[in-house]
């Protein structure tokens, strides 16, 4: 498993990261631990969770994922693991946090409370990468960054990152950190896949110029790129099968991922993968890693049987001809996720 640097920090991680947002919901604890064990044995040393997991967020099981990960981590050498987690962010917008009675915000009170609770659930005394899950563009960035900087100074957190940020937000945060001499965001965790290449429009250039690493999530476009939703299929137990029935935010999200354009592009990507002699899961994971601004691609599974196709991408470099074919699909079906 190859490693890459997180931003300009001293930390290097495996270029595949195991995400955990299904743990405690779609995957029970026993399965979650098998997934983590097999990932660790395959050379993955980077794991990502959040105080708001599992998804969809609900107050009755908020934090369950961190508890499952924490019990697993106690069976391993802590120094061998790079653990990432997140503080919710504001609850007045698109996503309402399930922690702290849904009153989450990026202020000192919430950040300190969140990190102390995450440390307890993870059963550790430090977090390697601590991230803001959602930004608050109406608040002063220095308020959150000062609290986060104190966590770095105290040793409870090693490096900082953000998630679901914009070009403006990432640039602003770096400028504020430089102005006040605060620890900056070394990573950005945003949605990035064959079906959603919007990151390349502007944010990739911000990452290159500022030395910030993308750790993309959903490289399989929420499972759509596996082909499970082709021809109108709605497999039992699949996330978007459930979300399409839930209404509200979940249904809106599902229809962004599962629509005529994403189904058409997935069909063509599947054909490219078959011609290249691999599964579309392997193709999509390898493609995600094959960008200069990416440090580690976050994958997620609900069952250990889904791991081999992901692991097959570990040392795979897609040929130029394959990359050209992928780009042709992107040009023919622009922005399938909107």
């Amino acid at each position: 498993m190859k490693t890459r640097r997180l931003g300009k920090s001293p930390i290097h991680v495996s270029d595949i990261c195991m995400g955990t947002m299904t743990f405690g919901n779609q995957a029970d604890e026993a399965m979650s631990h098998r997934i983590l064990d097999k990932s660790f044995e395959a050379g993955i040393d980077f794991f990502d969770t959040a105080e708001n997991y599992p998804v969809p967020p609900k107050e009755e099981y908020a934090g369950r994922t961190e508890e499952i990960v924490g019990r697993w981590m106690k069976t391993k050498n802590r120094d061998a693991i790079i653990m990432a987690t997140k503080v919710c962010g504001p609850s007045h917008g698109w996503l309402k946090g399930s922690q702290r009675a849904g009153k989450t915000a990026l202020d000192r009170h919430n950040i300190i409370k969140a990190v102390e609770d995450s440390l307890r659930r993870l059963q550790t005394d430090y977090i390697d990468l601590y991230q803001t899950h959602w930004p608050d563009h109406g608040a002063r960035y220095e308020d959150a960054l000062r609290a986060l900087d104190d966590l770095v100074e105290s040793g409870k957190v090693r490096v900082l990152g953000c998630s679901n940020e914009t070009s403006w937000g990432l640039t602003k945060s770096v400028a504020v950190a430089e102005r006040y001499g605060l620890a900056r965001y070394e990573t950005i965790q945003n949605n990035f896949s064959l079906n959603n290449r919007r990151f390349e429009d502007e944010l990739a250039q911000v990452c290159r110029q500022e030395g910030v690493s993308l750790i993309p999530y959903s490289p399989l476009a929420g499972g759509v790129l596996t082909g499970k939703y082709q021809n109108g299929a709605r497999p039992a137990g699949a996330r978007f099968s459930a979300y399409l029935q839930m209404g509200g935010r979940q249904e809106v999200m599902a229809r962004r991922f599962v629509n005529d354009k994403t189904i058409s592009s997935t069909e063509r990507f599947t054909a490219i993968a078959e011609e290249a002699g691999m599964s579309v899961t392997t193709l999509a994971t390898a493609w995600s890693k094959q960008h200069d601004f990416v440090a580690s691609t976050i994958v997620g599974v609900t069952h250990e049987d889904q791991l081999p196709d992901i692991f097959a991408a570990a040392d795979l470099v897609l040929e130029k001809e394959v990359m050209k074919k992928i780009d042709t699909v992107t040009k023919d079906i622009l922005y399938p996720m909107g």
Side-chain angles (χ1 to χ4, degrees):
M1 191 75 65
K2 295 178 181 177
T3 64
R4 295 182 183 176
R5 184 186 300 273
L6 293 180
K8 294 182 178 180
S9 80
I11 299 178
H12 282 71
V13 298
S14 56
D15 64 3
I16 294 178
C17 171
M18 181 52 62
T20 63
M21 73 177 186
T22 64
F23 293 1
N25 185 359
Q26 290 176 277
D28 64 19
E29 182 157 349
M31 177 57 68
S32 299
H33 284 189
R34 287 200 295 273
I35 291 168
L36 292 168
D37 279 335
K38 288 182 180 294
S39 299
F40 192 66
E41 291 163 7
I44 292 174
D45 63 10
F46 189 26
F47 301 88
D48 178 74
T49 189
E51 66 164 342
N52 217 30
Y53 290 166
V55 296
K58 290 185 179 181
E59 189 171 357
E60 58 262 36
Y61 55 57
R64 183 185 296 172
T65 302
E66 285 186 325
E67 292 172 350
I68 290 172
V69 173
R71 285 189 284 270
W72 171 80
M73 194 161 58
K74 290 296 287 185
T75 70
K76 301 293 182 286
N77 179 350
R78 177 65 183 89
D79 291 333
I81 293 169
I82 307 298
M83 183 56 62
T85 192
K86 312 176 196 75
V87 54
C88 283
S91 283
H92 56 255
W94 171 249
L95 181 71
K96 184 174 182 177
S98 55
Q99 299 283 5
R100 297 178 289 287
K103 302 294 185 182
T104 60
L106 289 180
D107 62 348
R108 179 174 292 274
H109 165 77
N110 272 273
I111 290 170
I112 300 302
K113 183 71 167 63
V115 79
E116 293 292 351
D117 287 345
S118 287
L119 288 168
R120 173 179 52 80
R121 288 189 291 264
L122 290 169
Q123 300 187 56
T124 184
D125 57 1
Y126 69 95
I127 293 163
D128 297 284
L129 173 63
Y130 198 54
Q131 305 153 97
T132 52
H133 209 152
W134 293 91
D136 187 350
H137 292 154
R140 293 180 294 270
Y141 268 74
E142 53 266 37
D143 290 354
L145 287 170
R146 283 195 174 107
L148 292 166
D149 181 75
D150 286 347
L151 293 176
V152 174
E153 287 294 314
S154 71
K156 292 179 179 179
V157 169
R158 295 178 68 191
V159 298
L160 305 175
C162 59
S163 183
N164 299 299
E165 255 294 10
T166 63
S167 298
W168 176 85
L170 182 56
T171 305
K172 177 74 171 179
S173 72
V174 172
V176 167
E178 290 178 350
R179 182 185 309 154
Y180 294 106
L182 304 171
R184 66 165 205 157
Y185 294 144
E186 301 291 351
T187 62
I188 177 172
Q189 183 179 151
N190 277 32
N191 189 291
F192 183 57
S193 72
L194 290 170
N195 276 351
N196 182 17
R197 298 181 64 169
R198 280 197 174 275
F199 196 92
E200 294 172 285
D201 292 348
E202 293 182 357
L203 270 163
Q205 181 66 358
V206 178
C207 284
R208 291 185 181 109
Q209 294 298 113
E210 301 294 347
V212 176
S213 295
L214 171 64
I215 48 175
Y217 68 84
S218 202
L220 300 180
V224 174
L225 283 165
T226 66
K228 68 171 70 175
Y229 299 102
Q230 296 302 106
N231 302 312
R234 297 293 181 266
R239 178 161 46 129
F240 294 139
S241 296
Y243 280 17
L244 287 167
Q245 304 298 318
M246 294 175 69
R249 175 185 178 273
Q250 273 71 38
E251 183 179 1
V252 172
M253 178 183 179
R255 294 196 182 283
R256 181 186 176 214
F257 279 81
V258 185
N259 59 62
D260 290 343
K261 292 177 74 173
T262 61
I263 296 301
S264 295
S265 60
T266 295
E267 182 178 7
R268 291 180 62 178
F269 290 133
T270 301
I272 292 170
E274 290 175 350
E275 187 178 355
M278 66 187 74
S279 74
V280 69
T281 295
T282 302
L283 177 85
T285 306
W287 177 87
S288 177
K289 300 192 301 109
Q290 205 160 315
H291 293 80
D292 63 322
F293 51 84
V294 171
S296 184
T297 293
I298 303 173
V299 298
V301 300
T302 58
H303 197 281
E304 60 188 311
D305 291 347
Q306 298 167 313
L307 292 171
D309 282 346
I310 290 171
F311 295 163
D315 296 317
L316 179 63
V317 177
L318 300 177
E319 296 179 357
K320 289 182 179 179
E321 191 59 34
V322 173
M323 296 293 281
K324 287 180 181 178
K325 291 177 181 177
I326 289 171
D327 289 343
T328 297
V329 178
T330 299
K331 291 174 183 176
D332 289 347
I333 307 177
L334 291 172
Y335 301 113
M337 285 178 55

